[in-house]
PDB file of all heavy atoms in Angstrom:
ATOM      1  N   ALA O 181     207.468-174.241 163.741  1.00  0.00           N
ATOM      2  CA  ALA O 181     207.812-173.459 164.891  1.00  0.00           C
ATOM      3  C   ALA O 181     206.503-172.832 165.405  1.00  0.00           C
ATOM      4  O   ALA O 181     205.636-172.128 164.687  1.00  0.00           O
ATOM      5  CB  ALA O 181     208.782-172.256 164.635  1.00  0.00           C
ATOM      6  N   VAL O 182     206.347-172.926 166.755  1.00  0.00           N
ATOM      7  CA  VAL O 182     205.105-172.368 167.378  1.00  0.00           C
ATOM      8  C   VAL O 182     205.595-171.591 168.518  1.00  0.00           C
ATOM      9  O   VAL O 182     206.601-171.926 169.300  1.00  0.00           O
ATOM     10  CB  VAL O 182     204.217-173.486 167.986  1.00  0.00           C
ATOM     11  CG1 VAL O 182     203.216-172.987 168.969  1.00  0.00           C
ATOM     12  CG2 VAL O 182     203.658-174.339 166.852  1.00  0.00           C
ATOM     13  N   GLY O 183     204.950-170.315 168.805  1.00  0.00           N
ATOM     14  CA  GLY O 183     205.420-169.372 169.745  1.00  0.00           C
ATOM     15  C   GLY O 183     204.310-168.880 170.553  1.00  0.00           C
ATOM     16  O   GLY O 183     203.032-168.974 170.295  1.00  0.00           O
ATOM     17  N   VAL O 184     204.658-168.524 171.900  1.00  0.00           N
ATOM     18  CA  VAL O 184     203.679-167.859 172.688  1.00  0.00           C
ATOM     19  C   VAL O 184     204.130-166.428 172.902  1.00  0.00           C
ATOM     20  O   VAL O 184     205.379-166.193 173.313  1.00  0.00           O
ATOM     21  CB  VAL O 184     203.403-168.575 173.998  1.00  0.00           C
ATOM     22  CG1 VAL O 184     202.651-167.832 174.946  1.00  0.00           C
ATOM     23  CG2 VAL O 184     202.726-169.857 173.765  1.00  0.00           C
ATOM     24  N   ASN O 185     203.299-165.340 172.717  1.00  0.00           N
ATOM     25  CA  ASN O 185     203.664-164.065 172.892  1.00  0.00           C
ATOM     26  C   ASN O 185     203.356-163.500 174.352  1.00  0.00           C
ATOM     27  O   ASN O 185     202.831-164.262 175.110  1.00  0.00           O
ATOM     28  CB  ASN O 185     202.999-163.110 171.806  1.00  0.00           C
ATOM     29  CG  ASN O 185     201.459-163.161 171.838  1.00  0.00           C
ATOM     30  OD1 ASN O 185     200.890-163.502 172.832  1.00  0.00           O
ATOM     31  ND2 ASN O 185     200.860-162.683 170.796  1.00  0.00           N
ATOM     32  N   THR O 186     203.643-162.266 174.582  1.00  0.00           N
ATOM     33  CA  THR O 186     203.537-161.801 175.850  1.00  0.00           C
ATOM     34  C   THR O 186     201.986-161.443 176.279  1.00  0.00           C
ATOM     35  O   THR O 186     201.675-161.173 177.352  1.00  0.00           O
ATOM     36  CB  THR O 186     204.246-160.423 176.105  1.00  0.00           C
ATOM     37  OG1 THR O 186     203.952-159.596 174.995  1.00  0.00           O
ATOM     38  CG2 THR O 186     205.671-160.663 176.231  1.00  0.00           C
ATOM     39  N   ASP O 187     201.168-161.653 175.391  1.00  0.00           N
ATOM     40  CA  ASP O 187     199.689-161.676 175.671  1.00  0.00           C
ATOM     41  C   ASP O 187     199.179-162.994 175.962  1.00  0.00           C
ATOM     42  O   ASP O 187     197.969-163.303 176.064  1.00  0.00           O
ATOM     43  CB  ASP O 187     198.898-161.117 174.478  1.00  0.00           C
ATOM     44  CG  ASP O 187     199.192-159.595 174.304  1.00  0.00           C
ATOM     45  OD1 ASP O 187     199.463-158.917 175.176  1.00  0.00           O
ATOM     46  OD2 ASP O 187     199.183-159.143 173.078  1.00  0.00           O
ATOM     47  N   GLY O 188     200.062-164.059 175.900  1.00  0.00           N
ATOM     48  CA  GLY O 188     199.514-165.372 176.232  1.00  0.00           C
ATOM     49  C   GLY O 188     199.046-166.179 175.144  1.00  0.00           C
ATOM     50  O   GLY O 188     198.415-167.261 175.265  1.00  0.00           O
ATOM     51  N   GLN O 189     199.097-165.592 173.895  1.00  0.00           N
ATOM     52  CA  GLN O 189     198.431-166.267 172.652  1.00  0.00           C
ATOM     53  C   GLN O 189     199.441-167.179 171.954  1.00  0.00           C
ATOM     54  O   GLN O 189     200.666-166.687 171.887  1.00  0.00           O
ATOM     55  CB  GLN O 189     197.973-165.040 171.715  1.00  0.00           C
ATOM     56  CG  GLN O 189     196.755-164.239 172.279  1.00  0.00           C
ATOM     57  CD  GLN O 189     195.597-165.117 172.310  1.00  0.00           C
ATOM     58  OE1 GLN O 189     195.387-166.179 171.746  1.00  0.00           O
ATOM     59  NE2 GLN O 189     194.449-164.583 173.006  1.00  0.00           N
ATOM     60  N   ARG O 190     198.984-168.210 171.580  1.00  0.00           N
ATOM     61  CA  ARG O 190     199.906-169.172 170.821  1.00  0.00           C
ATOM     62  C   ARG O 190     199.587-169.074 169.285  1.00  0.00           C
ATOM     63  O   ARG O 190     198.537-168.937 168.846  1.00  0.00           O
ATOM     64  CB  ARG O 190     199.602-170.533 171.378  1.00  0.00           C
ATOM     65  CG  ARG O 190     200.288-171.684 170.597  1.00  0.00           C
ATOM     66  CD  ARG O 190     200.150-172.939 171.248  1.00  0.00           C
ATOM     67  NE  ARG O 190     198.611-173.317 171.556  1.00  0.00           N
ATOM     68  CZ  ARG O 190     198.179-174.503 171.826  1.00  0.00           C
ATOM     69  NH1 ARG O 190     199.081-175.659 171.808  1.00  0.00           N
ATOM     70  NH2 ARG O 190     196.916-174.689 171.992  1.00  0.00           N
ATOM     71  N   GLU O 191     200.694-169.109 168.509  1.00  0.00           N
ATOM     72  CA  GLU O 191     200.489-169.020 167.020  1.00  0.00           C
ATOM     73  C   GLU O 191     201.538-169.844 166.333  1.00  0.00           C
ATOM     74  O   GLU O 191     202.574-170.115 166.906  1.00  0.00           O
ATOM     75  CB  GLU O 191     200.709-167.611 166.537  1.00  0.00           C
ATOM     76  CG  GLU O 191     199.585-166.669 166.883  1.00  0.00           C
ATOM     77  CD  GLU O 191     199.721-165.342 166.154  1.00  0.00           C
ATOM     78  OE1 GLU O 191     200.311-165.385 164.982  1.00  0.00           O
ATOM     79  OE2 GLU O 191     199.243-164.334 166.721  1.00  0.00           O
ATOM     80  N   VAL O 192     201.197-170.405 165.225  1.00  0.00           N
ATOM     81  CA  VAL O 192     202.158-170.946 164.344  1.00  0.00           C
ATOM     82  C   VAL O 192     203.021-169.914 163.613  1.00  0.00           C
ATOM     83  O   VAL O 192     202.397-169.152 162.940  1.00  0.00           O
ATOM     84  CB  VAL O 192     201.544-171.927 163.264  1.00  0.00           C
ATOM     85  CG1 VAL O 192     202.535-172.538 162.235  1.00  0.00           C
ATOM     86  CG2 VAL O 192     200.719-173.029 163.966  1.00  0.00           C
ATOM     87  N   LEU O 193     204.227-169.931 163.766  1.00  0.00           N
ATOM     88  CA  LEU O 193     205.075-168.851 163.317  1.00  0.00           C
ATOM     89  C   LEU O 193     205.844-169.126 162.083  1.00  0.00           C
ATOM     90  O   LEU O 193     206.223-168.294 161.367  1.00  0.00           O
ATOM     91  CB  LEU O 193     206.196-168.371 164.439  1.00  0.00           C
ATOM     92  CG  LEU O 193     205.633-167.863 165.668  1.00  0.00           C
ATOM     93  CD1 LEU O 193     206.739-167.485 166.652  1.00  0.00           C
ATOM     94  CD2 LEU O 193     204.652-166.712 165.510  1.00  0.00           C
ATOM     95  N   GLY O 194     206.142-170.487 161.770  1.00  0.00           N
ATOM     96  CA  GLY O 194     206.794-170.751 160.664  1.00  0.00           C
ATOM     97  C   GLY O 194     206.843-172.214 160.186  1.00  0.00           C
ATOM     98  O   GLY O 194     206.452-173.088 161.112  1.00  0.00           O
ATOM     99  N   LEU O 195     207.164-172.479 158.970  1.00  0.00           N
ATOM    100  CA  LEU O 195     207.060-173.847 158.424  1.00  0.00           C
ATOM    101  C   LEU O 195     208.123-173.997 157.272  1.00  0.00           C
ATOM    102  O   LEU O 195     208.197-173.004 156.473  1.00  0.00           O
ATOM    103  CB  LEU O 195     205.645-174.238 157.888  1.00  0.00           C
ATOM    104  CG  LEU O 195     205.676-175.441 156.906  1.00  0.00           C
ATOM    105  CD1 LEU O 195     205.742-176.600 157.703  1.00  0.00           C
ATOM    106  CD2 LEU O 195     204.211-175.412 156.237  1.00  0.00           C
ATOM    107  N   LYS O 196     208.906-175.062 157.226  1.00  0.00           N
ATOM    108  CA  LYS O 196     209.888-175.214 156.009  1.00  0.00           C
ATOM    109  C   LYS O 196     210.074-176.595 155.878  1.00  0.00           C
ATOM    110  O   LYS O 196     210.036-177.655 156.675  1.00  0.00           O
ATOM    111  CB  LYS O 196     211.145-174.423 156.568  1.00  0.00           C
ATOM    112  CG  LYS O 196     212.062-174.333 155.446  1.00  0.00           C
ATOM    113  CD  LYS O 196     213.400-173.576 155.869  1.00  0.00           C
ATOM    114  CE  LYS O 196     214.465-173.478 154.570  1.00  0.00           C
ATOM    115  NZ  LYS O 196     213.812-172.666 153.597  1.00  0.00           N
ATOM    116  N   VAL O 197     210.229-176.986 154.482  1.00  0.00           N
ATOM    117  CA  VAL O 197     210.555-178.385 154.184  1.00  0.00           C
ATOM    118  C   VAL O 197     211.937-178.252 153.621  1.00  0.00           C
ATOM    119  O   VAL O 197     212.343-177.473 152.813  1.00  0.00           O
ATOM    120  CB  VAL O 197     209.552-178.685 152.950  1.00  0.00           C
ATOM    121  CG1 VAL O 197     209.966-180.015 152.499  1.00  0.00           C
ATOM    122  CG2 VAL O 197     208.112-178.602 153.434  1.00  0.00           C
ATOM    123  N   GLY O 198     212.741-179.261 153.943  1.00  0.00           N
ATOM    124  CA  GLY O 198     214.064-179.482 153.577  1.00  0.00           C
ATOM    125  C   GLY O 198     214.593-180.867 153.604  1.00  0.00           C
ATOM    126  O   GLY O 198     213.897-181.784 154.031  1.00  0.00           O
ATOM    127  N   ALA O 199     215.912-181.080 153.154  1.00  0.00           N
ATOM    128  CA  ALA O 199     216.352-182.413 153.012  1.00  0.00           C
ATOM    129  C   ALA O 199     216.669-183.087 154.265  1.00  0.00           C
ATOM    130  O   ALA O 199     216.533-184.307 154.398  1.00  0.00           O
ATOM    131  CB  ALA O 199     217.667-182.247 152.042  1.00  0.00           C
ATOM    132  N   SER O 200     217.108-182.449 155.267  1.00  0.00           N
ATOM    133  CA  SER O 200     217.503-182.864 156.562  1.00  0.00           C
ATOM    134  C   SER O 200     217.469-181.850 157.651  1.00  0.00           C
ATOM    135  O   SER O 200     217.151-180.681 157.341  1.00  0.00           O
ATOM    136  CB  SER O 200     218.954-183.440 156.512  1.00  0.00           C
ATOM    137  OG  SER O 200     219.821-182.393 156.462  1.00  0.00           O
ATOM    138  N   GLU O 201     217.712-182.311 158.870  1.00  0.00           N
ATOM    139  CA  GLU O 201     217.725-181.389 160.053  1.00  0.00           C
ATOM    140  C   GLU O 201     219.131-180.933 160.406  1.00  0.00           C
ATOM    141  O   GLU O 201     219.339-180.595 161.538  1.00  0.00           O
ATOM    142  CB  GLU O 201     217.108-182.107 161.339  1.00  0.00           C
ATOM    143  CG  GLU O 201     215.576-182.347 161.090  1.00  0.00           C
ATOM    144  CD  GLU O 201     215.015-182.886 162.416  1.00  0.00           C
ATOM    145  OE1 GLU O 201     214.846-181.990 163.382  1.00  0.00           O
ATOM    146  OE2 GLU O 201     214.898-184.085 162.594  1.00  0.00           O
ATOM    147  N   ALA O 202     219.935-180.763 159.433  1.00  0.00           N
ATOM    148  CA  ALA O 202     221.396-180.293 159.643  1.00  0.00           C
ATOM    149  C   ALA O 202     221.222-178.838 160.126  1.00  0.00           C
ATOM    150  O   ALA O 202     220.413-178.130 159.903  1.00  0.00           O
ATOM    151  CB  ALA O 202     222.048-180.459 158.414  1.00  0.00           C
ATOM    152  N   GLU O 203     222.433-178.507 160.853  1.00  0.00           N
ATOM    153  CA  GLU O 203     222.497-177.159 161.362  1.00  0.00           C
ATOM    154  C   GLU O 203     222.311-176.042 160.386  1.00  0.00           C
ATOM    155  O   GLU O 203     221.518-175.011 160.557  1.00  0.00           O
ATOM    156  CB  GLU O 203     223.916-176.881 161.996  1.00  0.00           C
ATOM    157  CG  GLU O 203     224.084-175.534 162.644  1.00  0.00           C
ATOM    158  CD  GLU O 203     225.395-175.254 162.995  1.00  0.00           C
ATOM    159  OE1 GLU O 203     226.262-176.345 163.382  1.00  0.00           O
ATOM    160  OE2 GLU O 203     225.864-174.136 163.164  1.00  0.00           O
ATOM    161  N   PRO O 204     222.882-176.159 159.170  1.00  0.00           N
ATOM    162  CA  PRO O 204     222.473-174.987 158.205  1.00  0.00           C
ATOM    163  C   PRO O 204     221.070-174.748 157.958  1.00  0.00           C
ATOM    164  O   PRO O 204     220.545-173.672 157.721  1.00  0.00           O
ATOM    165  CB  PRO O 204     223.268-175.342 156.906  1.00  0.00           C
ATOM    166  CG  PRO O 204     224.412-176.303 157.429  1.00  0.00           C
ATOM    167  CD  PRO O 204     223.799-177.024 158.583  1.00  0.00           C
ATOM    168  N   PHE O 205     220.335-175.949 157.786  1.00  0.00           N
ATOM    169  CA  PHE O 205     218.939-175.884 157.500  1.00  0.00           C
ATOM    170  C   PHE O 205     218.067-175.120 158.676  1.00  0.00           C
ATOM    171  O   PHE O 205     217.307-174.187 158.503  1.00  0.00           O
ATOM    172  CB  PHE O 205     218.250-177.303 157.315  1.00  0.00           C
ATOM    173  CG  PHE O 205     216.915-177.348 156.996  1.00  0.00           C
ATOM    174  CD1 PHE O 205     216.331-176.612 156.068  1.00  0.00           C
ATOM    175  CD2 PHE O 205     216.077-178.208 157.799  1.00  0.00           C
ATOM    176  CE1 PHE O 205     214.988-176.737 155.669  1.00  0.00           C
ATOM    177  CE2 PHE O 205     214.714-178.178 157.469  1.00  0.00           C
ATOM    178  CZ  PHE O 205     214.235-177.538 156.424  1.00  0.00           C
ATOM    179  N   TRP O 206     218.412-175.495 159.967  1.00  0.00           N
ATOM    180  CA  TRP O 206     217.832-174.855 161.053  1.00  0.00           C
ATOM    181  C   TRP O 206     218.198-173.384 161.239  1.00  0.00           C
ATOM    182  O   TRP O 206     217.453-172.625 161.491  1.00  0.00           O
ATOM    183  CB  TRP O 206     218.262-175.664 162.480  1.00  0.00           C
ATOM    184  CG  TRP O 206     217.387-176.912 162.694  1.00  0.00           C
ATOM    185  CD1 TRP O 206     217.718-178.159 162.490  1.00  0.00           C
ATOM    186  CD2 TRP O 206     215.950-176.969 163.019  1.00  0.00           C
ATOM    187  NE1 TRP O 206     216.841-179.011 162.835  1.00  0.00           N
ATOM    188  CE2 TRP O 206     215.719-178.261 163.161  1.00  0.00           C
ATOM    189  CE3 TRP O 206     215.143-175.967 163.371  1.00  0.00           C
ATOM    190  CZ2 TRP O 206     214.414-178.708 163.511  1.00  0.00           C
ATOM    191  CZ3 TRP O 206     213.764-176.283 163.619  1.00  0.00           C
ATOM    192  CH2 TRP O 206     213.441-177.708 163.739  1.00  0.00           C
ATOM    193  N   THR O 207     219.531-173.108 161.031  1.00  0.00           N
ATOM    194  CA  THR O 207     219.989-171.820 160.987  1.00  0.00           C
ATOM    195  C   THR O 207     219.333-170.910 160.068  1.00  0.00           C
ATOM    196  O   THR O 207     218.756-169.660 160.408  1.00  0.00           O
ATOM    197  CB  THR O 207     221.392-171.736 160.716  1.00  0.00           C
ATOM    198  OG1 THR O 207     222.190-172.534 161.688  1.00  0.00           O
ATOM    199  CG2 THR O 207     222.048-170.293 160.810  1.00  0.00           C
TER     200      THR O 207
END
Side-chain angles (χ1 to χ4, degrees):
V182 169
V184 168
N185 60 20
T186 49
D187 291 327
Q189 292 291 344
R190 176 172 50 162
E191 291 190 28
V192 176
L193 299 181
L195 164 71
K196 191 174 180 62
V197 178
S200 70
E201 290 186 79
E203 180 188 340
F205 181 54
W206 279 108
T207 299

